[in-house]
PDB file of all heavy atoms in Angstrom:
ATOM      1  N   ALA P  94     -19.171 -24.111   9.857  1.00  0.00           N
ATOM      2  CA  ALA P  94     -18.247 -24.420  10.951  1.00  0.00           C
ATOM      3  C   ALA P  94     -16.916 -24.951  10.435  1.00  0.00           C
ATOM      4  O   ALA P  94     -15.873 -24.749  11.055  1.00  0.00           O
ATOM      5  CB  ALA P  94     -18.877 -25.431  11.897  1.00  0.00           C
ATOM      6  N   THR P  95     -16.941 -25.657   9.299  1.00  0.00           N
ATOM      7  CA  THR P  95     -15.718 -26.161   8.684  1.00  0.00           C
ATOM      8  C   THR P  95     -15.764 -25.901   7.186  1.00  0.00           C
ATOM      9  O   THR P  95     -16.846 -25.688   6.619  1.00  0.00           O
ATOM     10  CB  THR P  95     -15.526 -27.677   8.920  1.00  0.00           C
ATOM     11  OG1 THR P  95     -16.621 -28.376   8.328  1.00  0.00           O
ATOM     12  CG2 THR P  95     -15.414 -27.995  10.395  1.00  0.00           C
ATOM     13  N   PHE P  96     -14.595 -25.953   6.577  1.00  0.00           N
ATOM     14  CA  PHE P  96     -14.499 -25.664   5.148  1.00  0.00           C
ATOM     15  C   PHE P  96     -13.334 -26.454   4.571  1.00  0.00           C
ATOM     16  O   PHE P  96     -12.236 -26.451   5.138  1.00  0.00           O
ATOM     17  CB  PHE P  96     -14.282 -24.158   4.965  1.00  0.00           C
ATOM     18  CG  PHE P  96     -14.295 -23.713   3.540  1.00  0.00           C
ATOM     19  CD1 PHE P  96     -15.471 -23.667   2.822  1.00  0.00           C
ATOM     20  CD2 PHE P  96     -13.125 -23.343   2.915  1.00  0.00           C
ATOM     21  CE1 PHE P  96     -15.478 -23.268   1.507  1.00  0.00           C
ATOM     22  CE2 PHE P  96     -13.124 -22.938   1.600  1.00  0.00           C
ATOM     23  CZ  PHE P  96     -14.304 -22.901   0.896  1.00  0.00           C
ATOM     24  N   ARG P  97     -13.558 -27.140   3.452  1.00  0.00           N
ATOM     25  CA  ARG P  97     -12.500 -27.942   2.824  1.00  0.00           C
ATOM     26  C   ARG P  97     -11.617 -27.083   1.930  1.00  0.00           C
ATOM     27  O   ARG P  97     -12.115 -26.320   1.101  1.00  0.00           O
ATOM     28  CB  ARG P  97     -13.097 -29.081   2.016  1.00  0.00           C
ATOM     29  CG  ARG P  97     -13.694 -30.114   2.896  1.00  0.00           C
ATOM     30  CD  ARG P  97     -14.188 -31.289   2.108  1.00  0.00           C
ATOM     31  NE  ARG P  97     -14.762 -32.241   3.039  1.00  0.00           N
ATOM     32  CZ  ARG P  97     -14.921 -33.508   2.780  1.00  0.00           C
ATOM     33  NH1 ARG P  97     -14.585 -33.974   1.608  1.00  0.00           N
ATOM     34  NH2 ARG P  97     -15.425 -34.312   3.679  1.00  0.00           N
ATOM     35  N   VAL P  98     -10.313 -27.255   2.117  1.00  0.00           N
ATOM     36  CA  VAL P  98      -9.314 -26.473   1.387  1.00  0.00           C
ATOM     37  C   VAL P  98      -8.227 -27.411   0.881  1.00  0.00           C
ATOM     38  O   VAL P  98      -7.848 -28.357   1.570  1.00  0.00           O
ATOM     39  CB  VAL P  98      -8.688 -25.399   2.309  1.00  0.00           C
ATOM     40  CG1 VAL P  98      -7.586 -24.635   1.606  1.00  0.00           C
ATOM     41  CG2 VAL P  98      -9.747 -24.446   2.821  1.00  0.00           C
ATOM     42  N   ARG P  99      -7.751 -27.144  -0.308  1.00  0.00           N
ATOM     43  CA  ARG P  99      -6.620 -27.887  -0.855  1.00  0.00           C
ATOM     44  C   ARG P  99      -5.353 -27.082  -0.584  1.00  0.00           C
ATOM     45  O   ARG P  99      -5.285 -25.894  -0.898  1.00  0.00           O
ATOM     46  CB  ARG P  99      -6.798 -28.092  -2.352  1.00  0.00           C
ATOM     47  CG  ARG P  99      -5.682 -28.888  -2.989  1.00  0.00           C
ATOM     48  CD  ARG P  99      -5.942 -29.067  -4.461  1.00  0.00           C
ATOM     49  NE  ARG P  99      -4.870 -29.798  -5.090  1.00  0.00           N
ATOM     50  CZ  ARG P  99      -4.793 -30.024  -6.386  1.00  0.00           C
ATOM     51  NH1 ARG P  99      -5.741 -29.563  -7.182  1.00  0.00           N
ATOM     52  NH2 ARG P  99      -3.782 -30.691  -6.887  1.00  0.00           N
ATOM     53  N   GLU P 100      -4.371 -27.713   0.039  1.00  0.00           N
ATOM     54  CA  GLU P 100      -3.073 -27.096   0.285  1.00  0.00           C
ATOM     55  C   GLU P 100      -2.033 -27.831  -0.547  1.00  0.00           C
ATOM     56  O   GLU P 100      -2.016 -29.060  -0.576  1.00  0.00           O
ATOM     57  CB  GLU P 100      -2.685 -27.193   1.767  1.00  0.00           C
ATOM     58  CG  GLU P 100      -3.606 -26.450   2.700  1.00  0.00           C
ATOM     59  CD  GLU P 100      -3.280 -26.660   4.159  1.00  0.00           C
ATOM     60  OE1 GLU P 100      -2.523 -27.595   4.496  1.00  0.00           O
ATOM     61  OE2 GLU P 100      -3.801 -25.890   4.976  1.00  0.00           O
ATOM     62  N   LEU P 101      -1.194 -27.079  -1.214  1.00  0.00           N
ATOM     63  CA  LEU P 101      -0.130 -27.694  -1.993  1.00  0.00           C
ATOM     64  C   LEU P 101       1.123 -26.848  -1.907  1.00  0.00           C
ATOM     65  O   LEU P 101       1.076 -25.650  -1.679  1.00  0.00           O
ATOM     66  CB  LEU P 101      -0.540 -27.909  -3.449  1.00  0.00           C
ATOM     67  CG  LEU P 101      -0.999 -26.697  -4.239  1.00  0.00           C
ATOM     68  CD1 LEU P 101      -0.401 -26.759  -5.622  1.00  0.00           C
ATOM     69  CD2 LEU P 101      -2.505 -26.706  -4.299  1.00  0.00           C
ATOM     70  N   ARG P 102       2.265 -27.501  -2.074  1.00  0.00           N
ATOM     71  CA  ARG P 102       3.554 -26.830  -1.967  1.00  0.00           C
ATOM     72  C   ARG P 102       4.412 -27.205  -3.173  1.00  0.00           C
ATOM     73  O   ARG P 102       4.406 -28.342  -3.628  1.00  0.00           O
ATOM     74  CB  ARG P 102       4.255 -27.260  -0.684  1.00  0.00           C
ATOM     75  CG  ARG P 102       5.616 -26.621  -0.484  1.00  0.00           C
ATOM     76  CD  ARG P 102       6.247 -27.016   0.828  1.00  0.00           C
ATOM     77  NE  ARG P 102       5.463 -26.458   1.917  1.00  0.00           N
ATOM     78  CZ  ARG P 102       5.343 -27.029   3.120  1.00  0.00           C
ATOM     79  NH1 ARG P 102       5.939 -28.158   3.389  1.00  0.00           N
ATOM     80  NH2 ARG P 102       4.625 -26.462   4.049  1.00  0.00           N
ATOM     81  N   TYR P 103       5.109 -26.217  -3.675  1.00  0.00           N
ATOM     82  CA  TYR P 103       6.086 -26.473  -4.735  1.00  0.00           C
ATOM     83  C   TYR P 103       7.347 -25.694  -4.416  1.00  0.00           C
ATOM     84  O   TYR P 103       7.353 -24.778  -3.608  1.00  0.00           O
ATOM     85  CB  TYR P 103       5.527 -26.126  -6.122  1.00  0.00           C
ATOM     86  CG  TYR P 103       5.264 -24.666  -6.352  1.00  0.00           C
ATOM     87  CD1 TYR P 103       6.228 -23.847  -6.943  1.00  0.00           C
ATOM     88  CD2 TYR P 103       4.046 -24.085  -5.994  1.00  0.00           C
ATOM     89  CE1 TYR P 103       5.989 -22.509  -7.158  1.00  0.00           C
ATOM     90  CE2 TYR P 103       3.804 -22.751  -6.208  1.00  0.00           C
ATOM     91  CZ  TYR P 103       4.776 -21.965  -6.790  1.00  0.00           C
ATOM     92  OH  TYR P 103       4.541 -20.636  -6.998  1.00  0.00           O
ATOM     93  N   ARG P 104       8.428 -26.084  -5.039  1.00  0.00           N
ATOM     94  CA  ARG P 104       9.726 -25.461  -4.780  1.00  0.00           C
ATOM     95  C   ARG P 104      10.231 -24.776  -6.036  1.00  0.00           C
ATOM     96  O   ARG P 104      10.115 -25.306  -7.132  1.00  0.00           O
ATOM     97  CB  ARG P 104      10.724 -26.495  -4.304  1.00  0.00           C
ATOM     98  CG  ARG P 104      10.205 -27.206  -3.068  1.00  0.00           C
ATOM     99  CD  ARG P 104      11.241 -28.007  -2.337  1.00  0.00           C
ATOM    100  NE  ARG P 104      10.662 -28.816  -1.291  1.00  0.00           N
ATOM    101  CZ  ARG P 104      10.203 -28.362  -0.141  1.00  0.00           C
ATOM    102  NH1 ARG P 104      10.230 -27.103   0.117  1.00  0.00           N
ATOM    103  NH2 ARG P 104       9.700 -29.176   0.760  1.00  0.00           N
ATOM    104  N   VAL P 105      10.792 -23.586  -5.833  1.00  0.00           N
ATOM    105  CA  VAL P 105      11.378 -22.813  -6.928  1.00  0.00           C
ATOM    106  C   VAL P 105      12.884 -22.903  -6.775  1.00  0.00           C
ATOM    107  O   VAL P 105      13.435 -22.507  -5.751  1.00  0.00           O
ATOM    108  CB  VAL P 105      10.914 -21.335  -6.872  1.00  0.00           C
ATOM    109  CG1 VAL P 105      11.567 -20.538  -7.985  1.00  0.00           C
ATOM    110  CG2 VAL P 105       9.401 -21.243  -6.939  1.00  0.00           C
ATOM    111  N   ARG P 106      13.541 -23.438  -7.803  1.00  0.00           N
ATOM    112  CA  ARG P 106      14.994 -23.588  -7.783  1.00  0.00           C
ATOM    113  C   ARG P 106      15.606 -22.722  -8.876  1.00  0.00           C
ATOM    114  O   ARG P 106      15.250 -22.859 -10.045  1.00  0.00           O
ATOM    115  CB  ARG P 106      15.380 -25.043  -7.997  1.00  0.00           C
ATOM    116  CG  ARG P 106      14.988 -25.945  -6.854  1.00  0.00           C
ATOM    117  CD  ARG P 106      15.332 -27.410  -7.157  1.00  0.00           C
ATOM    118  NE  ARG P 106      15.139 -28.263  -6.018  1.00  0.00           N
ATOM    119  CZ  ARG P 106      13.978 -28.797  -5.651  1.00  0.00           C
ATOM    120  NH1 ARG P 106      12.907 -28.544  -6.361  1.00  0.00           N
ATOM    121  NH2 ARG P 106      13.880 -29.562  -4.592  1.00  0.00           N
ATOM    122  N   ARG P 107      16.510 -21.848  -8.460  1.00  0.00           N
ATOM    123  CA  ARG P 107      17.267 -21.023  -9.403  1.00  0.00           C
ATOM    124  C   ARG P 107      18.737 -21.145  -9.061  1.00  0.00           C
ATOM    125  O   ARG P 107      19.117 -20.954  -7.903  1.00  0.00           O
ATOM    126  CB  ARG P 107      16.859 -19.549  -9.292  1.00  0.00           C
ATOM    127  CG  ARG P 107      15.672 -19.208 -10.143  1.00  0.00           C
ATOM    128  CD  ARG P 107      15.260 -17.771 -10.046  1.00  0.00           C
ATOM    129  NE  ARG P 107      16.310 -16.835 -10.439  1.00  0.00           N
ATOM    130  CZ  ARG P 107      16.234 -15.536 -10.221  1.00  0.00           C
ATOM    131  NH1 ARG P 107      15.189 -15.026  -9.598  1.00  0.00           N
ATOM    132  NH2 ARG P 107      17.202 -14.737 -10.606  1.00  0.00           N
ATOM    133  N   PRO P 108      19.574 -21.454 -10.037  1.00  0.00           N
ATOM    134  CA  PRO P 108      21.008 -21.562  -9.760  1.00  0.00           C
ATOM    135  C   PRO P 108      21.542 -20.260  -9.144  1.00  0.00           C
ATOM    136  O   PRO P 108      21.229 -19.170  -9.597  1.00  0.00           O
ATOM    137  CB  PRO P 108      21.626 -21.805 -11.138  1.00  0.00           C
ATOM    138  CG  PRO P 108      20.518 -22.381 -11.960  1.00  0.00           C
ATOM    139  CD  PRO P 108      19.262 -21.751 -11.433  1.00  0.00           C
ATOM    140  N   GLY P 109      22.308 -20.411  -8.064  1.00  0.00           N
ATOM    141  CA  GLY P 109      22.877 -19.256  -7.392  1.00  0.00           C
ATOM    142  C   GLY P 109      21.995 -18.659  -6.317  1.00  0.00           C
ATOM    143  O   GLY P 109      22.399 -17.719  -5.639  1.00  0.00           O
ATOM    144  N   PHE P 110      20.771 -19.179  -6.152  1.00  0.00           N
ATOM    145  CA  PHE P 110      19.846 -18.661  -5.145  1.00  0.00           C
ATOM    146  C   PHE P 110      19.384 -19.802  -4.240  1.00  0.00           C
ATOM    147  O   PHE P 110      19.455 -20.968  -4.631  1.00  0.00           O
ATOM    148  CB  PHE P 110      18.620 -18.025  -5.799  1.00  0.00           C
ATOM    149  CG  PHE P 110      18.923 -16.783  -6.579  1.00  0.00           C
ATOM    150  CD1 PHE P 110      19.303 -16.863  -7.920  1.00  0.00           C
ATOM    151  CD2 PHE P 110      18.845 -15.538  -5.975  1.00  0.00           C
ATOM    152  CE1 PHE P 110      19.588 -15.719  -8.633  1.00  0.00           C
ATOM    153  CE2 PHE P 110      19.124 -14.388  -6.689  1.00  0.00           C
ATOM    154  CZ  PHE P 110      19.502 -14.478  -8.024  1.00  0.00           C
ATOM    155  N   ARG P 111      18.897 -19.471  -3.071  1.00  0.00           N
ATOM    156  CA  ARG P 111      18.336 -20.485  -2.187  1.00  0.00           C
ATOM    157  C   ARG P 111      17.062 -21.052  -2.797  1.00  0.00           C
ATOM    158  O   ARG P 111      16.354 -20.359  -3.523  1.00  0.00           O
ATOM    159  CB  ARG P 111      17.968 -19.879  -0.841  1.00  0.00           C
ATOM    160  CG  ARG P 111      19.129 -19.466  -0.027  1.00  0.00           C
ATOM    161  CD  ARG P 111      18.633 -19.009   1.327  1.00  0.00           C
ATOM    162  NE  ARG P 111      19.574 -18.038   1.850  1.00  0.00           N
ATOM    163  CZ  ARG P 111      19.383 -17.344   2.929  1.00  0.00           C
ATOM    164  NH1 ARG P 111      18.266 -17.470   3.606  1.00  0.00           N
ATOM    165  NH2 ARG P 111      20.290 -16.495   3.348  1.00  0.00           N
TER     166      ARG P 111
END
Side-chain angles (χ1 to χ4, degrees):
T95 61
F96 185 73
R97 290 184 180 201
V98 176
R99 182 179 179 185
E100 297 175 345
L101 56 138
R102 180 177 293 149
Y103 67 93
R104 303 194 188 287
V105 178
R106 292 177 172 84
R107 274 180 59 191
F110 293 87
R111 291 185 208 173

